[in-house]
Amino acid sequence: MPVLTPEQVRVVDSAAGDLDELIGRAGSVVARVAVDVLGGTYGRRVVVIAGPGNNGADGRVAAARLKAAGVRVELVDPTVGLVGPADLVIDAAFGTGLSRPYEPPQVDAGTPILAVDVPSGLDALTGANLGALGATTTVTFGAPKRGMFFGDGPELCGQVVVADIGLDLAPAQIDTWLVDDGLAERVLPHRPRRAHKWSAAVRVVAGSPGMWGAAHLTSSAAMRAGSGMVVVSGAGDAIPDGLPVEVVARSADDQAGAAPADARERAARVAADLDRFGSLVLGPGLGRDQDEFVDALVALSPVPTVIDADGLGFAWGRPEVLRRAGGPAIVTPHDGEFAKLVGRPPGPDRVGECRELATRSGAVVLLKGPTTVVASPTGASWLVTAGDQRLATAGSGDVLSGMLGAVLAQLRPDADDVDQVALTVACAAHWHGSTCDHLAAGTVASDIVDALARTRSGWRP
């Protein structure tokens, strides 16, 4: 599903044909949703806060439709200080173009509020609250707006109804999409009939003494997400401990008769047979003393390389070094890691910030958050809203890294298409978040691994 910025909304509106007809359709949709919220029309009283622009025009059409259906309707100006008792308040004061603070009328507590397009006072780009009334339901036209997914947007919008009123979105040159189950089902790879264990093999370099759990979670998730073979090495010459029985453990210095190698020699040894693998996952639990090794290995890797956690340290303050990656690079920072990569935390426009890092680094960037953003260096981006705070647990990111390794290993030969890589990453993040449908309170990371198969059980085998 496309997601629009306020500027894209202006482009769509300016290219629209018969504006009066579109306003008529919008107002009719608002009236129908209002009746659903009211549970009928008999004896109901609705107050419509109607502003001066198109948003207000939508509200006035809705008011006329409701009045014709027998609802008692009062139209008020946005400057009115107090809205009297009502069964429903329709907020049609201001639309997506409002970017200044707004002081809304006072509404009795508990009164349902139906917002038209966006709640008035919600920054439709960033989700910042400029004084909006919190809506019970929001009817938005053509496509959801970016601010609905960030900041205070999700709380202020309530239930979002996307209404098709005949707007042509093509002039907006859509560059951001929302991932849902249908898109993930179509995009995520499926194991072909002639697959064998090396068809989607994943090489993992993760874990160190005291941090072997990260290697365990990463490799377990890779197996559950479709890899037929996972080979794991830890930091230095340490052999990973406590891995799943299906996983092969190997020292990064594993070469008969050879003395322990320095960082760049070890990187060369790990890279020597990477052509057998479909992807490399690098960093979870590896320790912060491995930057030289990671730097060398990223440059040598010919396959999609997922760089997470401790693996990101070599690029702190200099994300441009990711352009040296031998294959597509995928980085998965949370806000703290993002700040170390670029020198400051992400600003309120999280999509713009994620895109800027992707462009600067040449990597696909997955910026974690309540709404996760995935950006391609081309400027395309995807939003992932699946999941909730249950995923905020130690090791959850390690599970996601292993999943990314598995789905990217199955992507060949499309791994050279950076937008396809980014889309696949976004759909894997949606899968990760959707495990919440099968998780209880007190979730730990291994529960996420166990839920992967159940989450996708209704999808094509």
Side-chain angles (χ1 to χ4, degrees):
M1 178 184 295
V3 178
L4 300 179
T5 67
E7 178 57 34
Q8 288 171 324
V9 171
R10 283 191 285 272
V11 170
V12 169
D13 286 348
S14 65
D18 189 334
L19 185 59
D20 289 339
E21 182 177 352
L22 289 172
I23 289 172
R25 293 174 190 168
S28 296
V29 170
V30 172
R32 286 198 298 271
V33 175
V35 172
D36 289 341
V37 173
L38 290 165
T41 59
Y42 180 75
R44 304 297 198 272
R45 180 175 186 273
V46 173
V47 175
V48 180
I49 306 170
N54 291 343
N55 202 251
D58 297 339
R60 283 184 279 274
V61 170
R65 300 284 192 273
L66 290 170
K67 188 174 182 178
V71 178
R72 291 179 295 159
V73 179
E74 180 183 1
L75 276 168
V76 299
D77 189 84
T79 60
V80 68
L82 177 67
V83 170
D87 297 299
L88 175 68
V89 171
I90 296 178
D91 169 17
F94 301 101
T96 58
L98 187 68
S99 58
R100 57 174 173 78
Y102 169 60
E103 187 174 345
Q106 184 177 339
V107 176
D108 288 350
T111 303
I113 297 173
L114 173 61
V116 178
D117 209 17
V118 296
S120 300
L122 173 70
D123 188 314
L125 179 69
T126 68
N129 185 0
L130 304 175
L133 292 168
T136 310
T137 305
T138 298
V139 179
T140 196
F141 306 121
K145 313 311 181 283
R146 191 187 291 180
M148 293 177 166
F149 303 103
F150 297 100
D152 296 315
E155 289 78 18
L156 291 173
C157 289
Q159 179 186 2
V160 176
V161 178
V162 180
D164 181 2
I165 60 170
L167 289 168
D168 180 9
L169 303 184
Q173 297 182 331
I174 305 299
D175 54 12
T176 303
W177 296 266
L178 179 67
V179 180
D180 58 18
D181 289 348
L183 179 62
E185 183 176 355
R186 291 194 301 273
V187 169
L188 287 174
H190 300 271
R191 188 174 293 185
R193 183 175 65 86
R194 295 187 179 184
H196 53 82
K197 65 184 180 183
W198 283 100
S199 298
V202 177
R203 188 73 165 90
V204 175
V205 181
S208 56
M211 294 290 290
W212 292 128
H216 182 285
L217 290 168
T218 301
S219 56
S220 295
M223 295 293 290
R224 288 293 187 185
S227 176
M229 171 66 75
V230 177
V231 177
V232 183
S233 299
D237 61 354
I239 297 177
D241 186 26
L243 297 175
V245 295
E246 300 89 351
V247 172
V248 176
R250 181 187 298 173
S251 168
D253 290 319
D254 190 7
Q255 182 171 319
D262 65 23
R264 296 195 174 274
E265 286 182 88
R266 284 191 294 109
R269 292 183 184 185
V270 172
D273 66 345
L274 275 179
D275 57 344
R276 299 191 69 190
F277 296 86
S279 69
L280 169 66
V281 180
L282 182 56
L286 197 62
R288 281 303 330 281
D289 58 348
Q290 300 294 312
D291 288 356
E292 185 180 1
F293 167 73
V294 172
D295 190 358
L297 184 52
V298 168
L300 291 170
S301 173
V303 296
T305 301
V306 180
I307 311 165
D308 184 32
D310 292 335
L312 293 170
F314 86 103
W316 284 356
R318 49 173 202 153
E320 297 84 359
V321 299
L322 290 162
R323 290 188 173 276
R324 299 204 302 255
I330 301 91
V331 296
T332 59
H334 53 58
D335 280 15
E337 291 163 340
F338 182 99
K340 291 176 179 178
L341 283 167
V342 304
R344 55 174 173 75
D349 180 6
R350 294 179 68 85
V351 175
E353 296 278 11
C354 192
R355 283 180 179 165
E356 184 178 339
L357 177 55
T359 301
R360 181 177 171 186
S361 66
V364 171
V365 178
L366 184 154
L367 177 58
K368 298 169 182 172
T371 293
T372 289
V373 183
V374 177
S376 167
T378 67
S381 56
W382 291 265
L383 308 184
V384 179
T385 59
D388 58 34
Q389 59 269 31
R390 284 171 290 178
L391 299 179
T393 185
S396 177
D398 302 332
V399 173
L400 176 59
S401 292
M403 294 175 65
L404 297 179
V407 298
L408 292 172
Q410 299 171 72
L411 194 59
R412 294 184 291 188
D414 293 331
D416 291 333
D417 182 342
V418 69
D419 281 348
Q420 187 65 33
V421 169
L423 173 57
T424 303
V425 165
C427 289
H430 177 84
W431 183 10
H432 179 265
S434 297
T435 59
C436 282
D437 294 340
H438 303 279
L439 300 176
T443 289
V444 296
S446 56
D447 297 334
I448 303 170
V449 177
D450 292 340
L452 290 176
R454 292 197 301 277
T455 301
R456 208 174 164 186
S457 62
W459 299 0
R460 186 177 62 188

